[in-house]
Amino acid sequence: MKQTIQKYLETPVSIAPLAMFRVLFGLVMFVSVVRFILKGWVKEFYIDPSYYFTYYGFEWVRPLGEVGMYVLYGVLVASTFLVMLGLFYRVASVVFFLSFTYAELIDKTYYLNHYFFISLMAFLMIWLPAHRSFSLDVIRKPSLRVGLVPRRTVGIVRFQLAMVYVFAGLAKLNYAWLFEAMPLKIWLAGRTDLPVLGAVFDWPWIPYVFSWSGAIYDLTIVYFLLNRKTRIWAYGAVIVFHVLTRMLFNIGMFPYIMILSTLIFFSSEFHQTIINTVQGWFKRTAEQVETLNQSYRPARKQLAYGVLSVFFVGQLLLAVRFLAYPGNLFWTEQGYRYSWRVMLAEKAGTAFFSITDGNTGGKIEIENRHYLTETQEKMMSYQPDMILQYAHYLYDLYNGKPIALGNDTLIVQNPKVTADVFVRLNNTGSRRFIDPTVDLAKEREGFHNKSWILHYND
Amino acid sequence: MMISSVKTKSFFPLLALFAVLTTACKKDDKDPDQDSSFDRAAMRAHYADDIILPAYLDFQSEMAEVMISAGAFVETPNAENLNALRDDWKDAYKSWQSCSMFEFGPAADVVLRSTCNTFPTDTAQIQNNINAGSWQLGTAANIPAAGLPAIDYLLYGLAASDEGIVELYATAPGFQSRGEYLLDVVAQMNTKITSVVNQWNGGYATSFKQKSGTDIGSALSLMVNDLNFDYELIKNAKIGIPLGIQTLGIARPNYVEAYYSGMSKTLALESLRASRRVYLGQNLAGVNGLGMDDLLLFLDAQHTNGTLHSAIMNQFSASETALEAINDPLSASIVDSPEVVETAYNKLQQHVVLFKTDMASSFGVLITYADGDGD
């Protein structure tokens, strides 16, 4: 059995889909990074704020200052460009993975599932021979050129895409999504300005059509993409689905990433035709038959198997870790990130923080906008781990802080930090989110269950 | 067989969507809101034409009257002219409360809110300017030395008695400089509100009405964000900060709005009622039109026990009652009966949640002006 599987995975197949994937992934990442810089987000997200919501275990990932951040984004631009060209690919792919992931780890305010997806894909690319055809590396060093690669190298990219779709589909199988059409009912009602299409968004049954189509799409699309007979129709659905989400929601580059990535499901012939056409523009003749049959033989196959097994098992565990926590996942968000829950809840909150002097009992109410950007405040207000981090930050700021009052100065001592937070989930009224009596300064971060989060149904 | 039936089922809606989508991309010249069940375009037009612009026009005409009576008072400083000016100023200050929550577009361009209503006013800076005999309004240092709160000080706070105040504009040393300063502060606001009115008439109203949807920069997002921001100002600046809510409970009564005239409570109530009119889509005369309340009801937005709309209206009433229970002047009540003021503060705080979280979320509007991607 094991041998059969191994034989299947090692069967040589054309490198064309993989080489093409490298070009497209590099291209769309290059555009994403340039867009990010042009929108002014490097400054807005990583230079301007006075506080950053670090990830648990990655507190050492800090913003690099104005010059440093622009250098980092410069490195990202360069590495994505090199990945696309397939020039110094091995170095470029490692640099891209590290610099992209570093930037994402600076502040969880900007966490997006698709950034997580990019990090995962970038990591995978390090291990793939995607530069051994249709690249500048093979011109620079012709001995690199191969025509065949083990099936697993193409398959693993498809597998990664399948994980994203299937988990996203499974996540949609919940009562609110299917039977209340939440949160699409809320969001579509805000999009009635779309030409023609918008006119139907106030119709009561339309959100249900979208909810169900979305769930079915996510759950089945990989199957239909794999199947040769349905592939072309499935790809049409990919385009429609992602173009629609782009029109309806503010989700940046994600639709384009998926539309281009899913081309990996197409046949070798399809990709080879495109490659030949493009190479024709550059007056490069089609590859010699001998090189086409040259097969890639990895140096450290066992290592790659080991690393990638850990990689996928890790992803799987991250995606299902929510099962280990009590309560409503959408409410507590314990185990929410990295689980492919994409656009599944309309959630917002308001958080009032208080500092109480440990000696005098005097209270200071915090205006969050003095310490956080609007985006940070918005995200913090309904995510418990960020509420806790912010409380710790306030403790450090206020402990021993002199407060000027006219001619007097008072010093805050042993402050207690409490928060009264109200959160609205979908179309239920806002309710108290965490225990307002708990001194958050004394609560720890970590993976344990946070008892100070109130139950949704209380 | 099974596979093909699954296929048909899952692809039918997608293909239907594709068909709608392709037609959608072709005809985009049609009025986007015409066919929807809630006429959002009409709502935007109502806010622009019947609420926002009239509020600005009202403030503009009140300020024009202040300019005239201020000119008369500086020309002929006497008790009668002082009181006439004070009355006009009070009307203008009340009128301002209906403009404060529209700090976007032209108003944001000229920093209207900070210019007109930064308090507590910086009395030392005002005195420095007057003594120096020259000043440049609009600099960062002079923002808290101008606007309606500066006039509050200039008309009520300069001396203990009205005679003393008249004297300061009539014969006391520096009277000329003082009069000029008063006129300049009035003129600065007149210039700005006129500029805002002109820009609204000169095309901004049209573009505002076209800002459809709920994204950052849409008309609805601008209005909801600013209504909320302004409501937080009522809670924090008008009530909370003077009450000592940010200073370990130690009260700072002189931080109230309009401290010297003592009309703080009137202004807070005026502000609350103006917010309610905006929420309901009522004009200054109280005539109701398509407003945020109607949209919330259309969207069937819920709260714990009933509709979100009724929760918001109840909270408006509760806050209003709590503010009315405070004895005038607010600055004295903060010291004498802080618990009454704190009750009002708490009611306002609960209301902030309804605006900032429940209403914004029901509309699908983000409480931010900052751009970014979501997922």
Side-chain angles (χ1 to χ4, degrees):
Chain A
M1 181 65 186
K2 195 188 161 195
Q3 272 180 342
T4 325
I5 294 173
Q6 195 145 18
K7 197 179 162 205
Y8 177 80
L9 291 175
E10 293 298 329
T11 311
V13 296
S14 163
I15 192 176
L18 192 60
M20 194 67 192
F21 178 77
R22 186 207 77 233
V23 174
L24 295 175
F25 188 73
L27 173 71
V28 74
M29 286 303 108
F30 175 77
V31 173
S32 298
V33 174
V34 170
R35 169 179 175 267
F36 194 93
I37 298 169
L38 292 180
K39 284 200 170 246
W41 290 345
V42 177
K43 184 167 158 37
E44 199 180 306
F45 295 176
Y46 300 126
I47 297 167
D48 288 346
S50 47
Y51 176 69
Y52 297 90
F53 288 92
T54 54
Y55 284 88
Y56 186 65
F58 292 92
E59 291 79 4
W60 50 274
V61 178
R62 304 296 305 157
L64 304 172
E66 181 154 10
V67 176
M69 285 315 298
Y70 279 109
V71 168
L72 182 68
Y73 271 80
V75 167
L76 275 167
V77 171
S79 60
T80 52
F81 196 66
L82 291 176
V83 166
M84 177 180 72
L85 296 178
L87 181 60
F88 307 116
Y89 173 78
R90 286 294 187 201
V91 177
S93 59
V94 172
V95 169
F96 173 59
F97 165 71
L98 291 177
S99 47
F100 185 87
T101 306
Y102 189 92
E104 291 320 310
L105 285 175
I106 293 173
D107 191 333
K108 65 171 71 145
T109 301
Y110 314 106
Y111 169 83
L112 294 178
N113 284 291
H114 84 253
Y115 289 152
F116 177 47
F117 169 73
I118 292 167
S119 275
L120 294 175
M121 208 43 115
F123 180 80
L124 273 185
M125 302 267 302
I126 295 172
W127 304 84
L128 299 178
H131 63 309
R132 289 182 159 235
S133 177
F134 197 33
S135 70
L136 293 184
D137 276 341
V138 296
I139 295 173
R140 187 174 62 88
K141 198 174 166 192
S143 64
L144 283 174
R145 186 195 300 273
V146 295
L148 299 172
V149 287
R151 192 196 296 274
R152 61 178 163 78
T153 59
V154 183
I156 206 161
V157 176
R158 294 177 181 166
F159 186 68
Q160 181 63 61
L161 285 164
M163 297 250 321
V164 175
Y165 275 122
V166 171
F167 275 110
L170 291 174
K172 287 185 174 71
L173 302 182
N174 68 72
Y175 186 83
W177 180 271
L178 295 174
F179 301 108
E180 292 172 348
M182 279 293 165
L184 283 181
K185 199 180 267 180
I186 296 172
W187 292 338
L188 291 180
R191 283 288 167 276
T192 50
D193 56 306
L194 273 186
V196 182
L197 194 58
V200 305
F201 289 163
D202 278 335
W203 297 0
W205 52 273
I206 283 286
Y208 291 92
V209 173
F210 276 70
S211 292
W212 282 76
S213 312
I216 294 167
Y217 168 85
D218 277 344
L219 287 170
T220 61
I221 192 66
V222 171
Y223 174 79
F224 290 118
L225 281 169
L226 284 169
N227 190 325
R228 192 169 51 83
K229 282 181 194 151
T230 53
R231 189 173 299 141
I232 188 75
W233 293 103
Y235 194 66
V238 168
I239 293 175
V240 172
F241 178 82
H242 288 294
V243 167
L244 256 179
T245 58
R246 182 72 186 90
M247 288 165 69
L248 292 174
F249 309 119
N250 179 34
I251 50 175
M253 295 297 293
F254 182 65
Y256 308 115
I257 294 170
M258 293 313 264
I259 286 172
L260 293 179
S261 295
T262 41
L263 279 173
I264 188 99
F265 287 98
F266 279 80
S267 67
S268 310
E269 295 75 24
F270 172 86
H271 288 284
Q272 193 61 53
T273 311
I274 297 175
I275 290 173
N276 290 345
T277 311
V278 175
Q279 283 181 335
W281 300 340
F282 292 95
K283 310 255 185 290
R284 294 192 66 83
T285 49
E287 282 153 10
Q288 300 298 310
V289 180
E290 306 90 82
T291 40
L292 271 181
N293 287 333
Q294 195 76 47
S295 196
Y296 167 71
R297 286 193 191 78
R300 293 186 206 87
K301 197 167 74 184
Q302 293 313 320
L303 176 68
Y305 266 108
V307 169
L308 293 174
S309 310
V310 172
F311 174 78
F312 282 108
V313 170
Q315 258 187 75
L316 187 79
L317 291 177
L318 278 176
V320 299
R321 76 189 187 286
F322 73 93
L323 295 170
Y325 294 101
N328 179 332
L329 170 65
F330 294 99
W331 182 250
T332 68
E333 298 205 21
Q334 301 195 99
Y336 197 83
R337 286 190 203 98
Y338 324 113
S339 69
W340 309 115
R341 285 183 166 71
V342 188
M343 311 209 65
L344 280 186
E346 164 61 35
K347 207 175 171 197
T350 306
F352 304 106
F353 281 81
S354 297
I355 307 286
T356 309
D357 188 291
N359 299 345
T360 67
K363 244 167 102 171
I364 298 175
E365 278 210 17
I366 301 298
E367 277 191 65
N368 297 327
R369 66 170 65 97
H370 293 167
Y371 304 107
L372 303 177
T373 65
E374 285 178 338
T375 312
Q376 287 178 319
E377 182 185 352
K378 174 174 79 77
M379 301 305 283
M380 176 276 292
S381 298
Y382 61 85
Q383 299 186 55
D385 58 340
M386 295 174 79
I387 288 170
L388 184 63
Q389 282 177 292
Y390 181 51
H392 288 181
Y393 173 63
L394 289 174
Y395 177 87
D396 293 340
L397 269 184
Y398 277 88
N399 190 19
K401 184 188 174 166
I403 307 275
L405 270 174
N407 297 325
D408 297 334
T409 302
L410 297 170
I411 296 185
V412 179
Q413 279 169 344
N414 307 316
K416 185 177 158 185
V417 184
T418 53
D420 208 4
V421 185
F422 296 87
V423 169
R424 181 181 181 90
L425 178 59
N426 293 333
N427 195 19
T428 58
S430 57
R431 39 187 107 177
R432 195 167 254 136
F433 188 49
I434 67 168
D435 186 342
T437 62
V438 165
D439 180 4
L440 294 171
K442 292 202 169 68
E443 295 297 325
R444 285 182 308 110
E445 288 182 59
F447 293 111
H448 57 282
N449 179 42
K450 315 295 185 302
S451 55
W452 41 270
I453 305 173
L454 297 177
H455 292 291
Y456 183 62
N457 290 323
D458 277 3
Chain B
M1 275 318 283
M2 214 184 96
I3 289 163
S4 75
S5 82
V6 169
K7 193 180 95 185
T8 322
K9 261 189 218 158
S10 61
F11 275 84
F12 178 72
L14 288 166
L15 290 174
L17 287 180
F18 187 67
V20 186
L21 183 68
T22 38
T23 33
C25 297
K26 281 175 197 155
K27 322 178 198 169
D28 48 355
D29 50 327
K30 221 173 131 207
D31 178 4
D33 286 332
Q34 208 176 37
D35 293 337
S36 68
S37 331
F38 187 91
D39 196 345
R40 292 163 176 86
M43 181 176 90
R44 290 192 295 275
H46 174 59
Y47 273 106
D49 299 336
D50 307 329
I51 293 175
I52 302 176
L53 188 56
Y56 284 144
L57 286 171
D58 187 69
F59 182 57
Q60 187 188 30
S61 79
E62 296 291 356
M63 283 309 297
E65 287 182 35
V66 173
M67 192 77 226
I68 293 166
S69 48
F73 172 64
V74 170
E75 183 74 27
T76 317
N78 58 35
E80 194 190 344
N81 283 345
L82 176 62
N83 284 325
L85 171 56
R86 282 172 169 176
D87 286 346
D88 287 341
W89 168 83
K90 282 182 183 175
D91 288 343
Y93 214 155
K94 284 193 244 172
S95 170
W96 164 253
Q97 308 299 331
S98 295
C99 302
S100 181
M101 67 286 281
F102 305 122
E103 188 79 351
F104 46 79
D109 292 345
V110 301
V111 234
L112 190 65
R113 177 157 53 205
S114 303
T115 306
C116 291
N117 200 18
T118 295
F119 60 91
T121 198
D122 188 342
T123 56
Q125 181 70 16
I126 293 173
Q127 292 295 2
N128 287 343
N129 286 338
I130 293 171
N131 292 339
S134 72
W135 51 83
Q136 174 90 48
L137 295 185
T139 60
N142 278 336
I143 290 244
L148 297 160
I151 300 177
D152 178 52
Y153 174 63
L154 289 167
L155 299 189
Y156 292 89
L158 286 177
S161 67
D162 288 3
E163 295 75 31
I165 291 168
V166 170
E167 175 70 15
L168 282 165
Y169 290 91
T171 53
F175 74 92
Q176 261 178 323
S177 178
R178 204 166 286 115
E180 279 170 32
Y181 192 77
L182 172 66
L183 292 176
D184 202 26
V185 169
V186 176
Q188 188 201 20
M189 284 188 281
N190 281 9
T191 310
K192 292 208 169 181
I193 184 61
T194 301
S195 149
V196 169
V197 165
N198 292 343
Q199 287 184 63
W200 269 82
N201 281 326
Y204 185 78
T206 311
S207 73
F208 178 81
K209 291 176 201 171
Q210 288 164 352
K211 292 175 192 294
S212 58
T214 54
D215 281 343
I216 288 149
S218 63
L220 189 63
S221 164
L222 291 173
M223 289 194 294
V224 169
N225 266 286
D226 247 49
L227 181 61
N228 170 65
F229 188 93
D230 205 60
Y231 215 81
E232 287 198 66
L233 281 183
I234 305 179
K235 168 179 103 77
N236 290 327
K238 294 183 199 228
I239 310 289
I241 291 172
L243 187 60
I245 217 83
Q246 294 182 4
T247 43
L248 296 164
I250 296 158
R252 294 186 289 183
N254 57 329
Y255 274 53
V256 296
E257 185 180 31
Y259 172 68
Y260 300 96
S261 60
M263 66 182 302
S264 326
K265 176 185 155 182
T266 309
L267 293 177
L269 275 166
E270 198 64 44
S271 177
L272 177 129
R273 289 168 187 152
S275 297
R276 181 165 53 198
R277 282 196 301 272
V278 171
Y279 166 73
L280 291 170
Q282 274 181 0
N283 67 11
L284 288 170
V287 180
N288 206 334
L290 270 188
M292 298 176 190
D293 61 328
D294 301 295
L295 184 54
L296 280 185
L297 286 170
F298 171 76
L299 294 170
D300 192 30
Q302 296 298 310
H303 202 259
T304 319
N305 299 307
T307 66
L308 178 54
H309 170 63
S310 65
I312 289 175
M313 290 311 285
N314 290 341
Q315 199 59 39
F316 265 127
S317 302
S319 304
E320 190 175 27
T321 309
L323 280 175
E324 276 167 346
I326 299 170
N327 287 326
D328 259 330
L330 174 61
S331 54
S333 287
I334 281 170
V335 179
D336 301 337
S337 47
E339 66 289 340
V340 179
V341 183
E342 200 175 341
T343 304
Y345 176 82
N346 290 335
K347 299 288 178 202
L348 291 166
Q349 173 142 316
Q350 284 166 7
H351 198 140
V352 166
V353 174
L354 294 176
F355 271 166
K356 193 174 187 175
T357 291
D358 290 288
M359 184 166 82
S361 184
S362 300
F363 289 153
V365 161
L366 297 179
I367 287 291
T368 174
Y369 296 102
D371 194 13
D373 290 336
D375 77 350

